[in-house]
Amino acid sequence: MKKKFIAMTLAVFMGISLAACGSKDEPAKDNSGTQDNKTEDNKTEEDKTEDTKTDDASGGENNAASGDVANKDKPLVWFNRQPSNSSTGELDMAALSFNDNTYYVGFDANQGAELQGTMVKDYIEANIDSIDRNGDGIIGYVLAVGDIGHNDSIARTRGIRKALGTGVEKDGDINSDPVGTNSDGKSTAVQDGSIEIGGKKYVVRELASQEMKNSAGATWDAATAGNAIGTWSASFGDEIDIIASNNDGMGMSMFNAWSKDNNVPTFGYDANSDAVAAIAEGYGGTISQHADVQAYLTLRVLRNALDGVDVDTGIGTADDAGNTLSDDVYAYNADERSYYALNVAVTADNYQDFTDSTKIYEPVSNQLDESAHPSKKVWLNIYNASDNFLSSTYQPLLQNYDDILNLDVDYIGGDGQTESNITNRLGNPGQYDAFAINMVKTDNAASYTGLLSQ
Ligand code: BGC
Ligand code: CA
């Protein structure tokens, strides 16, 4: 305990000195420990008192969570990375039903993937006169894959291949393996598609695709994608007519490195603010996975369990503050114990409505009364503190909702590579009332539930 306290104090001190050197407008990159996104200089007095509270809470001796509920019986929500087998995609129901108050919050991966594929296909059809840059009758695209073992990434790869006719079947579904390079169209993981517009037939070819994993093992890696487009453009040049990416972090990296200057439409996923803004400069489009709804649901299912009310409160059923979600923005699957937000395509037609990805969703923006919903402590981790979507969209949203829901959340930022980097910081689960977990690898749920069962 003593040691832990010293370590925490050190971490906080280092956080402060780091923040003091950083620019005021940039959110702190390393959100390990209990720092929030504001730098020390631009905090209000209120923020500072709150920090003290939080610091005491995680480091002090007399701050155990209220009540004496066993850790294994405390509310638990998995989010963004659904407990599942990373090879087969099969859900890990043991983790999803760890206790009566365990849920997953994510989004509908298949619906979103289909939207992304359709968005790209619609773009090709609408721009057929100019899309084939070298005029050889082949519409070539390259694809940045996020994580070959992540259901969402797999779904997006399939969505693009399905819409463009380049998918081939494997084990009853569309093969989602990256092809490496496929300049001659002979890869066995994909096939050449075809598209007929105005009586003219075009071949559609996946020229290249690759998992964007860096040498340290971090997936969805934007910098790796930026390098890949350098290599691909050097070998394919004006054979590349379209860029598709499993997310905006990688998409924007390719856009900034190459496609913006070369006017090659680039399509991503997540509707991060920077990607939405780039639509005005030629970024092709993105998909909103309704992170505003997901972040709310992530904390809401915990709030409800802590209040001992029906899980639907403030979700399908209005709560005492008038918060409620309509069923056009989410779906609940009871068998999977999972909430899925629905996706929306964001293109040149509607991007003006999506410019701030951190804005809370109005129908669930009402403050809960503190006397009826007293403050509770939550341990929450972000698996990769430098993931674009999680750090620039999801976490800021969580930080907006935690106030509304009277939850005192400790945000732990991982390195995106090692589970133990995160589980090491779940050393005192007894000090928290509830847990929100974002795993590095979807197979690893037991590393967390094991700690909670001790
Ligand atoms: C997002 C990606 C992100 C990943 C992290 C996905 O849902 O679209 O941008 O990197 O989650 O797990
Ligand atoms: Ca061409």
Side-chain angles (χ1 to χ4, degrees):
M1 182 43 83
K2 264 265 167 57
K3 242 195 197 151
K4 167 92 202 199
F5 182 65
I6 293 168
M8 286 293 315
T9 315
L10 252 178
V12 169
F13 175 72
M14 278 164 61
I16 292 171
S17 33
L18 271 178
C21 315
S23 118
K24 287 193 187 173
D25 302 325
E26 257 174 50
K29 262 271 146 60
D30 175 42
N31 54 357
S32 53
T34 57
Q35 294 298 297
D36 62 20
N37 259 344
K38 296 174 189 169
T39 60
E40 209 50 34
D41 316 350
N42 62 4
K43 279 182 181 175
T44 61
E45 278 312 309
E46 213 185 316
D47 287 333
K48 284 182 182 160
T49 357
E50 261 202 35
D51 281 0
T52 325
K53 266 197 291 178
T54 323
D55 296 343
D56 282 357
S58 35
E61 310 254 340
N62 310 318
N63 283 288
S66 39
D68 47 6
V69 183
N71 295 324
K72 68 170 181 32
D73 298 323
K74 290 176 180 172
L76 165 62
V77 62
W78 308 99
F79 68 97
N80 176 261
R81 313 200 125 210
Q82 192 171 27
S84 53
N85 183 304
S86 61
S87 316
T88 65
E90 192 194 341
L91 298 186
D92 176 352
M93 285 314 300
L96 287 162
S97 49
F98 175 60
N99 63 33
D100 290 348
N101 292 317
T102 302
Y103 296 94
Y104 170 73
V105 173
F107 64 96
D108 186 331
N110 293 326
Q111 179 249 353
E114 183 158 347
L115 273 182
Q116 194 193 25
T118 309
M119 170 174 73
V120 175
K121 184 164 184 240
D122 288 350
Y123 185 95
I124 294 176
E125 288 174 354
N127 294 279
I128 196 67
D129 294 339
S130 55
I131 198 97
D132 180 8
R133 295 201 305 144
N134 64 358
D136 65 351
I138 301 173
I139 297 167
Y141 73 93
V142 296
L143 171 70
V145 172
D147 175 348
I148 54 169
H150 187 291
N151 285 347
D152 301 344
S153 182
I154 292 169
R156 293 172 198 173
T157 296
R158 288 183 174 145
I160 292 289
R161 290 180 179 168
K162 185 172 173 210
L164 301 183
T166 51
V168 295
E169 206 199 286
K170 186 186 168 190
D171 304 330
D173 212 329
I174 292 176
N175 188 339
S176 60
D177 296 340
V179 298
T181 55
N182 177 39
S183 48
D184 54 3
K186 300 240 162 74
S187 163
T188 54
V190 292
Q191 63 182 9
D192 278 353
S194 78
I195 216 167
E196 191 175 327
I197 300 161
K200 188 163 182 229
K201 250 193 166 165
Y202 294 83
V203 168
V204 184
R205 179 169 300 162
E206 184 168 311
L207 295 168
S209 51
Q210 163 191 324
E211 183 188 40
M212 300 304 173
K213 186 174 184 168
N214 71 13
S215 53
T219 52
W220 303 90
D221 190 58
T224 304
N227 291 337
I229 196 61
T231 310
W232 288 340
S233 60
S235 54
F236 296 114
D238 62 5
E239 286 173 57
I240 304 175
D241 300 314
I242 301 260
I243 296 182
S245 175
N246 283 174
N247 80 356
D248 282 337
M250 300 181 295
M252 282 299 290
S253 181
M254 298 192 285
F255 183 71
N256 290 326
W258 184 75
S259 54
K260 181 180 174 186
D261 289 343
N262 290 277
N263 296 315
V264 174
T266 302
F267 295 86
Y269 203 110
D270 292 340
N272 293 332
S273 297
D274 63 336
V276 172
I279 293 178
E281 303 181 297
Y283 196 68
T286 180
I287 302 291
S288 161
Q289 54 169 288
H290 248 311
D292 51 358
V293 169
Q294 287 182 67
Y296 172 73
L297 285 168
T298 300
L299 296 180
R300 184 74 216 202
V301 296
L302 299 181
R303 179 78 255 175
N304 289 344
L306 294 167
D307 287 347
V309 299
D310 190 277
V311 68
D312 196 43
T313 310
I315 301 178
T317 314
D319 66 10
D320 49 9
N323 295 306
T324 180
L325 292 174
S326 48
D327 54 17
D328 56 338
V329 294
Y330 83 102
Y332 176 59
N333 182 320
D335 294 335
E336 299 178 353
R337 299 192 64 83
S338 295
Y339 284 88
Y340 299 110
L342 299 177
N343 304 265
V344 187
V346 181
T347 65
D349 297 334
N350 65 347
Y351 76 96
Q352 306 278 14
D353 301 338
F354 293 84
T355 48
D356 182 2
S357 66
T358 67
K359 203 173 107 210
I360 57 177
Y361 189 55
E362 208 273 332
V364 289
S365 58
N366 304 313
Q367 178 68 43
L368 294 193
D369 187 84
E370 177 123 30
S371 57
H373 309 276
S375 178
K376 297 283 179 182
K377 285 184 210 318
V378 177
W379 184 97
L380 182 152
N381 87 282
I382 299 289
Y383 92 99
N384 184 353
S386 50
D387 181 83
N388 297 64
F389 169 63
L390 295 170
S391 67
S392 76
T393 295
Y394 211 103
Q395 186 172 342
L397 283 164
L398 289 166
Q399 284 170 320
N400 289 331
Y401 287 117
D402 65 13
D403 295 328
I404 289 178
L405 298 173
N406 301 326
L407 295 173
D408 178 2
V409 181
D410 279 355
Y411 293 91
I412 309 297
D415 64 8
Q417 298 151 26
T418 32
E419 215 77 60
S420 59
N421 174 270
I422 300 164
T423 50
N424 281 345
R425 290 188 274 163
L426 183 51
N428 286 305
Q431 292 178 335
Y432 296 90
D433 297 301
F435 307 95
I437 297 176
N438 180 214
M439 290 175 283
V440 173
K441 205 156 177 254
T442 61
D443 312 86
N444 285 344
S447 320
Y448 297 85
T449 53
L451 285 175
L452 298 180
S453 302
Q454 272 169 20

